[in-house]
Amino acid sequence: LSASACSAFSSDDFALVAATAKTAIRINAASGRKVRIVEIRINDALAGSTDQGIKYRIMTGGTDGTGASFTPVPLDASSTAVSTAKVAYTAEPTGSPVEVFVDGLPAGSKVIERFSPDEAFLVAGSGAIYLELTAAQARASGVVSASVTFEEI
């Protein structure tokens, strides 16, 4: 099977409440297609010298919450994304998600995590994978942004 690369973006219009997990982007794999995370990008513009960083996690599964539907952008003009995405959650996903990756970034920094096929996180068709952010201290809207690049297989 051939893979097509797509990207999903969260806007910087969401806020982070201190010590509260927030789903930035959720990818819902289409039936019969697998989704593999290739890269995540997170930018935190909070820059005070005493500010604390952000923990970020890649999660799979769980029951979807309420968010704005978003069509992932194919990185190849001849491809069409068949998986869907959600951003701007007003009700977080619930259930029993599984943490497959966790790391953190210092306040006022950005991170680009690239995953090789050997270390990539894969979900089967009709499954879900998402990027969740937790800040030790609150972030107002316009301070944090994120993107996820993935392959549909």
Side-chain angles (χ1 to χ4, degrees), residues 12-15 43-47 54 108-109 138-145:
D12 57 2
D13 292 336
F14 65 90
N43 184 37
D44 179 15
L46 193 65
I54 294 175
S109 66
R139 303 292 197 274
S141 293
V143 175
V144 178
S145 62

Side-chain angles (χ1 to χ4, degrees), residues 22 37 55 69 78 130 139 153:
K22 176 74 174 174
I37 298 295
K55 178 172 88 172
S69 294
S78 65
Y130 56 101
R139 303 292 197 274
I153 306 166

Side-chain angles (χ1 to χ4, degrees), residues 47-96:
S49 61
T50 61
D51 294 333
Q52 298 175 23
I54 294 175
K55 178 172 88 172
Y56 55 97
R57 303 190 308 167
I58 296 176
M59 309 287 282
T60 62
T63 303
D64 201 2
T66 305
S69 294
F70 176 84
T71 302
V73 178
L75 300 180
D76 174 0
S78 65
S79 298
T80 302
V82 292
S83 296
T84 60
K86 281 189 175 177
V87 296
Y89 274 84
T90 56
E92 290 294 314
T94 60
S96 301

Side-chain angles (χ1 to χ4, degrees), residues 26 28-34 123-128:
R26 180 179 166 114
N28 296 305
S31 177
R33 298 295 289 267
K34 295 177 183 173
V123 292
S126 301

